[in-house]
Each structure stands twice: as C-alpha cells, then as structure tokens.
Amino acid sequence: MKTSDDEIFDQIAETIGRDGWCVFQNFLSDSLTSQLASECITSWQQGDFRRAGVGFGAQRQVRPEIRSDHVMWLDPLQLSPIQQSYFDILESLRLALNRRLFLSLFEYEGHFAIYPPGSFYRKHLDQFKAVQYRIVTCILYLNTDWRAEDGGMLRMYCDPDDETSFLDVLPKGGTLVSFLSAELYHEVLPARRDRASITGWFKTRTT
Ligand code: OGA
Ligand code: MN
C-alpha cells in the first residue's frame, strides 16, 4: 500500500457507499503490519494499556460483561514513525470517503486494542447515543497466523433486516474492516490467544 494508491481508497469508499461495509485483505504490507504489531505488543507488555470502557464522557463505565478488551489511545501528536505511516494512509482513505460519499469527515481517532484469551465484545453499534460524531469505523488487524480455532472472529450483522444472518471475519494481520458506525451491528467472539488491532473512527465536527 502506497499513499498514492488512490484506486484502492476509492474502491473501499465505493463499497461502503453501496453496502455500508467493506472487508479488505492485505490492505497493508506484511512489513508495515508486523512493525505496527510489534509496537502494539511492546506497549502492552510495558503496561501502557487500560481496560476499555463503554459509553461516552461521564457515562463511561468499565463493563467487562459487555467488553473485556484493553486499549491504548494513539495521540496524533506523539506517533512513532511507523504509526505515522499508518495515519498517513488513513488520511488518504478519509479524503476518498469525503470525495466519494460526501461525508465531511474531518478527523480520525484510534487506539491499539488487545483481547487477551477469553475476552470479547458483545453485539453493539460504535456510534454513541449522546454524541454522534463517529461516522466510519476502521479496524486493522495485527495478528500473524490467525486460525479459525483461535476464535476472536469479528461477527458483522450485515443485513439490518435479518438478525440471524452475519459474516465472520478472521482478524488476520493486514486486513482492514471498515463500516458505517451508526448502522452496522457487530461483535467480537471470545479470543483464545492475544488478539491485536488498531481500531479507530473517522469523525464529523460536532457543533
Ligand atoms: C470496537 C470493535 C471490533 C474488532 O472496538 O468497537 O467493535 O474486531 N472492535 O476488534
Ligand atoms: Mn465496535
């Protein structure tokens, strides 16, 4: 993936415009993916993560029966060079989404996430009810050799009219999943080994 790969960004934007979601394998090169993965694991081992919460602002709560992953927010002003390359790629995707879908996305926020063995995230939408600035979710997986037996699948409920139909996505390194944050219900099934990702959102201005 080069930041000049506009065709790929346009293709992702077009797919989201048509279906509301897009799963794109090998979005990043193995080398960029593995460098991001090793930074994620190092920060995890250093204890830089905290338990993820649900809800926004004063409503935020740690509810391990709803989600039991751990996160480390990425400060756009203090990124490592490798993290900056990923943010630069997402910036090109943001421009393509605006160009193709007229979304007025103006900023990205994201975090590393680790699901240790046994952790999960129950079915939910990503947009908060109180503040609706999260418009498009982007998840990049950082796991090498992930197999179906390792669990931790992302279950996407792609058909809003049929609760029983879903698509399970393996969290394989380099795969990018993006979808409309207010519309697509999804959940993370229990992982059986540490499951790493960068999850984030393109936002609109809240006024
Ligand atoms: C989230 C989420 C999905 C995944 O963090 O909101 O749904 O596959 N993550 O990690
Ligand atoms: Mn989610």
Side-chain angles (χ1 to χ4, degrees), residues 23 31-32 49-50 89 93 114 119 155 171 178 183 203:
V23 176
S31 119
L32 188 47
F49 282 57
R50 62 172 187 163
I89 289 169
L93 178 57
I114 294 275
S119 39
R155 179 160 289 180
S178 36
E183 288 180 18
K203 311 189 289 182

Side-chain angles (χ1 to χ4, degrees), residues 67 69 71 111 113 115 121-122 124-126 134 137 139 141 152-155 169 171 177 179 186-188 195 197 199-201:
R67 70 182 295 190
D69 59 323
V71 303
H111 58 60
Y115 288 73
Y121 193 162
R122 300 260 183 248
H124 66 281
L125 286 177
D126 281 352
R134 287 180 172 176
T137 302
I139 307 160
Y141 296 111
M153 238 89 83
L154 170 67
R155 179 160 289 180
V169 179
V177 176
F179 54 82
H186 57 284
E187 71 179 302
V188 179
R195 173 195 194 269
S197 60
T199 298
W201 298 272

